[in-house]
Amino acid sequence: PGMKSMVVQTAMMMFCIVAGASALLQQATPSLAASVATPALIQRAATPAMGLLGRVAGRLRPKRKLNIPVIEVGSVLPAVEVEVVPPNATTEGLAESVSLNIAEALGEGKSFLIGMPGAFTPTCTDVHLPGLIQSAKTLGDYGVSNIAVVTTNDRWVISAWRDSLRDCVGFGDSSLTYLADGDGDLVKALGLVEDMGFGVGLRSKRFALMVEDGVVTRVEVDEGMDELRTTGAASLLQIAKPPEVEAEEASEMDRKTVLGGAAVALLTAVAFFSPGSSPGTTWASRPRGREAAPPPLARSRGSKPDKEASEMMASKAAVRAKLDAAAETAAKRVRADELKRATAS
């Protein structure tokens, strides 16, 4: 028993000596110890461990306020370069970066620059981008030469996003241009960058800029990642709609309104002047068949029923005159609108 106790004590002493020497070595020569222990991690400092409270507090951190002025109407686009994602690009085709100044990427004429918080995010993927793809042809008919979509993602992610949307939803290729602003330089220069919170960080705001020859003519912004009110396809169609198209749509709406009013007046006149009708009588309440017909009233000359009948006839004549006048006015207006459209064409 004495020999065993001595062996155990000696072993414990040797362990303590080795552990102490190792600790002194790490304190004296940390770089040497790190290079021996973990040679692949010598370029990166150790990450301090976070407790449960620290992790929860990090996820609940408030969004950072960014005091960056937003670009205004009449301003020239900033001289910032973005990466242009080639259409139908393969992995090999994306290997080389194609960078252009934002004004060059948009080109001349009227164009839209649409910013979105990120590829594969719900609102961007489910609503915003599909709406733009569907409305691209109509916007082109309205004189929009280019529709460019920019996100703060790299070109590989944007290319995969575009291709997945086309494959899953079934949209064909469109005339949209896809731009990658991976470092966020463009959206920062535009003042259209926002801290979206923990796990997302700095992202592009959801915005729409109408640009004509490099000059901003319209600025629309939706706050947050989910809101889509003023930057969607429906809003862009209203913004880009030419005045002559608006005038033609308004004229067509007036024409339909006039025709609808004339039709109602005609049906009212038919119901009012049809045989057997009386004030307050409707088609549903009108008597049907011989049994429902009331017996003729024997009226003497100058009796009260004759007076009521004459007043009723006079009232019907006045109503008929008004209906005829309304129908004539409606017909004249329709002819005037048709003549106006024929002259314009």
Short mmCIF file of all heavy atoms in Angstrom, two decimals, residues 5 35 41 65 92 113 123 130 147 180 204 230-231 243 245 253 256 282 297 314-315 330 336 340 342:
data_model
loop_
_atom_site.label_atom_id
_atom_site.label_comp_id
_atom_site.label_asym_id
_atom_site.label_seq_id
_atom_site.Cartn_x
_atom_site.Cartn_y
_atom_site.Cartn_z
N SER A 5 0.83 4.21 -2.98
CA SER A 5 0.57 5.62 -2.67
C SER A 5 1.67 6.50 -3.18
O SER A 5 1.44 7.59 -3.71
CB SER A 5 0.40 5.77 -1.16
OG SER A 5 0.22 7.14 -0.81
N SER A 35 1.28 28.36 -33.39
CA SER A 35 1.77 27.77 -34.62
C SER A 35 1.96 26.28 -34.48
O SER A 35 1.79 25.53 -35.44
CB SER A 35 3.10 28.43 -35.03
OG SER A 35 4.08 28.19 -34.02
N LEU A 41 -4.81 28.36 -38.16
CA LEU A 41 -5.60 29.44 -37.59
C LEU A 41 -4.75 30.58 -37.06
O LEU A 41 -5.22 31.41 -36.31
CB LEU A 41 -6.49 28.91 -36.47
CG LEU A 41 -7.46 27.81 -36.85
CD1 LEU A 41 -8.24 27.35 -35.63
CD2 LEU A 41 -8.41 28.28 -37.93
N LYS A 65 -29.46 53.46 -37.27
CA LYS A 65 -29.92 54.61 -38.05
C LYS A 65 -28.78 55.10 -38.94
O LYS A 65 -27.66 55.34 -38.48
CB LYS A 65 -30.38 55.74 -37.12
CG LYS A 65 -31.55 55.36 -36.23
CD LYS A 65 -32.82 55.13 -37.04
CE LYS A 65 -34.00 54.84 -36.11
NZ LYS A 65 -35.24 54.61 -36.88
N GLU A 92 -19.16 29.30 -65.73
CA GLU A 92 -17.93 29.76 -66.39
C GLU A 92 -18.10 31.19 -66.90
O GLU A 92 -17.18 32.00 -66.86
CB GLU A 92 -17.57 28.83 -67.55
CG GLU A 92 -17.14 27.43 -67.13
CD GLU A 92 -18.32 26.56 -66.74
OE1 GLU A 92 -19.48 26.99 -66.99
OE2 GLU A 92 -18.10 25.47 -66.17
N LEU A 113 -34.58 52.26 -62.50
CA LEU A 113 -33.64 51.54 -61.65
C LEU A 113 -34.40 51.09 -60.42
O LEU A 113 -34.85 51.91 -59.62
CB LEU A 113 -32.46 52.44 -61.27
CG LEU A 113 -31.43 51.81 -60.31
CD1 LEU A 113 -30.78 50.59 -60.95
CD2 LEU A 113 -30.37 52.83 -59.91
N THR A 123 -40.80 38.88 -50.45
CA THR A 123 -41.54 39.86 -51.25
C THR A 123 -40.88 40.08 -52.60
O THR A 123 -41.58 40.21 -53.62
CB THR A 123 -41.65 41.19 -50.48
OG1 THR A 123 -42.28 40.97 -49.23
CG2 THR A 123 -42.44 42.21 -51.27
N PRO A 130 -41.59 39.19 -60.18
CA PRO A 130 -42.54 38.69 -61.17
C PRO A 130 -43.42 39.77 -61.79
O PRO A 130 -43.71 39.73 -62.99
CB PRO A 130 -43.38 37.68 -60.37
CG PRO A 130 -42.48 37.23 -59.28
CD PRO A 130 -41.68 38.44 -58.91
N ILE A 147 -35.13 48.45 -67.89
CA ILE A 147 -35.56 48.22 -66.52
C ILE A 147 -34.46 47.43 -65.84
O ILE A 147 -34.23 46.26 -66.18
CB ILE A 147 -36.89 47.44 -66.45
CG1 ILE A 147 -37.96 48.13 -67.30
CG2 ILE A 147 -37.35 47.28 -65.01
CD1 ILE A 147 -39.20 47.29 -67.48
N ALA A 180 -25.44 43.74 -59.89
CA ALA A 180 -24.96 43.31 -58.57
C ALA A 180 -24.20 44.45 -57.92
O ALA A 180 -23.23 44.98 -58.48
CB ALA A 180 -24.05 42.08 -58.72
N SER A 204 -30.03 47.10 -49.63
CA SER A 204 -30.67 48.13 -50.42
C SER A 204 -32.11 48.31 -49.96
O SER A 204 -32.80 47.35 -49.62
CB SER A 204 -30.66 47.73 -51.90
OG SER A 204 -31.52 48.56 -52.66
N THR A 230 -45.46 51.62 -53.58
CA THR A 230 -45.18 52.64 -54.60
C THR A 230 -44.09 52.23 -55.58
O THR A 230 -43.82 52.97 -56.52
CB THR A 230 -44.73 53.95 -53.91
OG1 THR A 230 -43.51 53.73 -53.19
CG2 THR A 230 -45.79 54.44 -52.96
N THR A 231 -43.47 51.06 -55.39
CA THR A 231 -42.38 50.65 -56.26
C THR A 231 -42.71 49.42 -57.09
O THR A 231 -41.86 48.93 -57.82
CB THR A 231 -41.11 50.35 -55.44
OG1 THR A 231 -41.38 49.25 -54.54
CG2 THR A 231 -40.70 51.56 -54.62
N PRO A 243 -49.11 60.83 -71.58
CA PRO A 243 -50.36 61.61 -71.46
C PRO A 243 -51.40 61.22 -72.49
O PRO A 243 -52.60 61.21 -72.19
CB PRO A 243 -49.89 63.06 -71.65
CG PRO A 243 -48.44 63.04 -71.30
CD PRO A 243 -47.93 61.69 -71.70
N VAL A 245 -51.96 58.32 -73.78
CA VAL A 245 -52.61 57.08 -73.38
C VAL A 245 -53.62 57.34 -72.27
O VAL A 245 -54.72 56.78 -72.27
CB VAL A 245 -51.55 56.05 -72.92
CG1 VAL A 245 -52.22 54.79 -72.39
CG2 VAL A 245 -50.61 55.71 -74.07
N MET A 253 -63.41 55.61 -71.06
CA MET A 253 -64.22 55.47 -69.85
C MET A 253 -65.47 56.35 -69.92
O MET A 253 -66.56 55.91 -69.55
CB MET A 253 -63.38 55.85 -68.63
CG MET A 253 -64.12 55.67 -67.30
SD MET A 253 -64.55 53.95 -66.97
CE MET A 253 -62.91 53.25 -66.73
N LYS A 256 -67.97 54.71 -72.29
CA LYS A 256 -68.69 53.60 -71.67
C LYS A 256 -69.73 54.09 -70.67
O LYS A 256 -70.82 53.53 -70.55
CB LYS A 256 -67.70 52.66 -70.98
CG LYS A 256 -66.80 51.90 -71.95
CD LYS A 256 -65.84 50.98 -71.19
CE LYS A 256 -64.96 50.20 -72.16
NZ LYS A 256 -64.00 49.32 -71.44
N THR A 282 -93.65 47.57 -61.45
CA THR A 282 -92.41 46.98 -61.93
C THR A 282 -92.72 45.76 -62.76
O THR A 282 -93.86 45.26 -62.78
CB THR A 282 -91.51 46.57 -60.76
OG1 THR A 282 -92.17 45.58 -59.99
CG2 THR A 282 -91.19 47.77 -59.87
N LEU A 297 -113.02 50.51 -66.19
CA LEU A 297 -113.75 51.45 -65.35
C LEU A 297 -114.64 52.32 -66.22
O LEU A 297 -114.21 52.85 -67.26
CB LEU A 297 -112.79 52.33 -64.55
CG LEU A 297 -111.89 51.60 -63.56
CD1 LEU A 297 -110.92 52.59 -62.92
CD2 LEU A 297 -112.75 50.93 -62.48
N ALA A 314 -99.74 63.56 -69.45
CA ALA A 314 -98.87 64.72 -69.54
C ALA A 314 -97.53 64.44 -68.87
O ALA A 314 -96.46 64.83 -69.37
CB ALA A 314 -99.56 65.93 -68.90
N SER A 315 -97.56 63.73 -67.74
CA SER A 315 -96.32 63.40 -67.05
C SER A 315 -95.46 62.46 -67.89
O SER A 315 -94.24 62.62 -67.98
CB SER A 315 -96.64 62.75 -65.70
OG SER A 315 -95.45 62.33 -65.05
N ALA A 330 -76.34 62.08 -75.53
CA ALA A 330 -75.38 60.98 -75.46
C ALA A 330 -74.88 60.61 -76.85
O ALA A 330 -73.68 60.37 -77.05
CB ALA A 330 -76.03 59.76 -74.79
N ALA A 336 -68.91 62.87 -81.27
CA ALA A 336 -67.80 63.82 -81.11
C ALA A 336 -66.52 63.11 -80.69
O ALA A 336 -65.42 63.43 -81.18
CB ALA A 336 -68.17 64.89 -80.09
N LYS A 340 -63.08 62.88 -82.80
CA LYS A 340 -61.83 63.35 -82.20
C LYS A 340 -60.74 62.31 -82.34
O LYS A 340 -59.59 62.60 -82.68
CB LYS A 340 -62.06 63.70 -80.73
CG LYS A 340 -60.85 64.27 -80.03
CD LYS A 340 -61.18 64.61 -78.59
CE LYS A 340 -59.96 65.17 -77.87
NZ LYS A 340 -60.28 65.49 -76.46
N ALA A 342 -60.63 59.87 -84.58
CA ALA A 342 -60.29 59.71 -85.98
C ALA A 342 -59.36 60.83 -86.44
O ALA A 342 -58.41 60.61 -87.21
CB ALA A 342 -61.56 59.69 -86.82
#
